[in-house]
Amino acid sequence: MANNSIPFAERLSPVRALFTSNSREGVLLIGIAVLAMVIANSALGEGYHALFHAPLPWTPIPKLWNAHLWINDALMVLFFFVVGLEVKRELVEGDLSNPQARRLPVIAAVAGMVVPASLFLALVGDDPQMHRGWAIPAATDIAFAMGVIGLLGRRVPGTLRLFLLTVAIVDDIGAVIIIAAFYTLEVKGIWLIASIAVAIGMAIMNMVKVDRVWAYFAATILLWFCVLNSGVHATIAGVVAALMVPMYRRNGKHLLEKVEHRLAPWNAYMVVPIFALANAGVDLRDLGPAGILAPLPLAIAAGLFLGKQLGILGAVAAAHKLGIASKPEGTSWLQVWGIAILCGIGFTMSLFIGALAFADNALLYEQAKIGVLMGTLASLVMGYLLLRFAPAKRLTVEQAEAKVESQVV
């Protein structure tokens, strides 16, 4: 139940942003991905690969011996930290705090992870090494998908924007759990105990209402270092640290909100683009047609493009039919289908999981990237076209806000 003493305009601020979302982040990611592909397939390809994968002349942490590792294991902690902040805010004060409002997105998100993973395993063949990529098509890139929504403007009802955002947040929670549970190879007990001790310390800071940003920043760095050495993937530290940031309000705002607002632009315009530049480039000349059309990339592309829409649309239709939850108000089934297709935009999280799944096999990792890019492109184009031309009676911004208010209050 939301706190009614908080002005509605403040409680709705994350939702209000959805009604005015722009396409800058999505367009930026598209541009970076294209740039990485062009460079990787040009005369600069060898230099591009060396820039990110050649050993550094010096590094303060031997475990991070090249730029690619610093980006994926260190810089991306900020991405996961912002994801954690967003998840906590939604669970405490947002749409995920309301059992009725979260029912449909949670059902859709779970189906949108299970069906793509199942389709991937059905198509990829009997090679157990390729089976490690089962989670790659289960992820949704929230920034990319919302960027496409921004291109469509008011053609997409506010209730559908909210539905997409909530599904993507639940999807992120699932992806974090998958990374922690299935992509941890060897755990070092001492470092794991140290990580737990730091996390408990941060929880105590929260309980005694420490509200200094620098204190949580320092604790997050320490937690990251301990997790990095524990064998659990270091980015999990970002999510855990974010969950320890306080939500109590002081002078109308809580610390979590302040931190999220400060970090969100850095995350959107620095961290994710750098990650995309380092991970999206794949030399098609090395793969050739046989590599591009191999079982792995086709299974990933099918999981993202077909699996996501089958899982999410099927779950929404079943929930609506059985009376468990109604489809988003003021929308047509064509529009719901379009949103389900857009959820197949995996990109950031899919590329990240691919790097973990095939860290010891460069060829399979390159093929995985091709699959992610193909599935993302197909989902982007088809989802955009369907939503662009789907006729529907749309809710106005005021009606959609009133609908959200009725769920929050």
Side-chain angles (χ1 to χ4, degrees):
M1 186 69 67
N3 184 352
N4 290 332
S5 65
I6 302 171
F8 175 65
E10 289 188 27
R11 285 187 279 122
L12 194 63
S13 57
V15 176
R16 188 181 300 279
L18 299 182
F19 292 102
T20 58
S21 63
N22 56 59
S23 59
R24 287 177 295 182
E25 294 178 20
V27 170
L28 177 61
L29 282 180
I30 294 172
I32 293 293
V34 171
L35 177 63
M37 290 291 291
V38 170
I39 293 175
N41 289 275
S42 71
L44 301 174
E46 288 188 12
Y48 166 84
H49 186 272
L51 175 64
F52 294 112
H53 296 278
L56 295 170
W58 177 83
T59 176
I61 302 177
K63 195 177 181 72
L64 306 180
W65 53 271
N66 64 26
H68 190 263
L69 289 170
W70 272 101
I71 292 168
N72 284 25
D73 290 2
L75 188 62
M76 281 296 284
V77 173
L78 180 58
F79 170 81
F80 281 88
F81 186 78
V82 173
V83 167
L85 294 175
E86 191 171 76
V87 166
K88 181 171 183 177
R89 173 170 53 74
E90 287 296 315
L91 287 170
V92 176
E93 290 186 352
D95 207 50
L96 290 177
S97 67
N98 186 314
Q100 182 179 355
R102 69 175 176 238
R103 187 178 304 153
L104 183 64
V106 169
I107 292 172
V110 171
M113 289 184 279
V114 172
V115 175
S118 301
L119 183 59
F120 170 88
L121 291 173
L123 296 176
V124 79
D126 298 326
D127 187 343
Q129 191 171 20
M130 288 196 288
H131 289 174
R132 285 187 54 79
W134 66 270
I136 296 173
T140 296
D141 190 306
I142 187 171
F144 215 144
M146 290 306 299
V148 176
I149 291 294
L151 287 170
L152 292 161
R154 296 293 180 87
R155 293 183 180 88
V156 180
T159 51
L160 266 188
R161 293 171 182 254
L162 181 58
F163 173 76
L164 172 61
L165 180 67
T166 312
V167 167
I169 289 172
V170 177
D171 201 306
D172 282 343
I173 296 173
V176 169
I177 294 172
I178 287 169
I179 291 170
F182 297 98
Y183 293 102
T184 296
L185 299 179
E186 181 183 355
V187 176
K188 297 179 181 177
I190 296 298
W191 283 106
L192 183 61
I193 292 171
S195 303
I196 294 172
V198 176
I200 292 173
M202 295 186 73
I204 293 172
M205 289 166 56
N206 187 325
M207 292 171 60
V208 300
K209 298 188 175 182
V210 173
D211 62 352
R212 295 288 185 264
V213 174
W214 67 264
Y216 290 94
F217 176 77
T220 299
I221 296 295
L222 179 59
L223 179 62
W224 165 76
F225 184 75
C226 292
V227 174
L228 176 69
N229 289 282
S230 72
V232 179
H233 198 271
T235 51
I236 300 300
V239 177
V240 174
L243 296 178
M244 303 303 170
V245 177
M247 280 288 290
Y248 63 85
R249 289 183 177 265
R250 179 171 295 178
N251 299 324
K253 283 190 175 182
H254 46 63
L255 183 64
L256 184 145
E257 187 178 58
K258 290 168 59 178
V259 173
E260 186 178 11
H261 286 173
R262 289 180 185 178
L263 293 181
W266 290 96
N267 189 52
Y269 299 111
M270 183 189 76
V271 175
V272 175
I274 290 176
F275 171 83
L277 183 63
N279 288 272
V282 52
D283 193 338
L284 301 178
R285 298 168 300 180
D286 288 345
L287 291 176
I292 296 172
L293 300 177
L296 179 62
L298 292 181
I300 292 173
L304 285 170
F305 179 62
L306 296 177
K308 275 290 186 182
Q309 59 177 294
L310 288 174
I312 292 175
L313 183 62
V316 173
H320 185 81
K321 179 83 171 175
L322 296 172
I324 298 172
S326 300
K327 72 178 176 69
E329 187 175 334
T331 65
S332 68
W333 281 110
L334 275 178
Q335 289 178 312
V336 175
W337 184 20
I339 287 294
I341 295 175
L342 284 187
C343 287
I345 298 176
F347 203 69
T348 305
M349 195 69 83
S350 292
L351 288 173
F352 188 82
I353 294 175
L356 298 179
F358 304 118
D360 57 351
N361 191 314
L363 175 60
L364 290 183
Y365 178 41
E366 294 300 298
Q367 290 184 354
K369 289 194 284 187
I370 287 295
V372 170
L373 294 174
M374 289 194 301
T376 292
L377 179 61
S379 300
L380 187 158
V381 173
M382 282 297 297
Y384 175 86
L385 291 176
L386 192 56
L387 289 168
R388 172 66 178 80
F389 296 106
K393 179 182 178 181
R394 298 184 297 273
L395 294 177
T396 65
V397 172
E398 292 74 17
Q399 289 172 325
E401 288 183 352
K403 172 64 177 175
V404 176
E405 182 176 15
S406 70
Q407 295 177 344
V408 174
V409 176

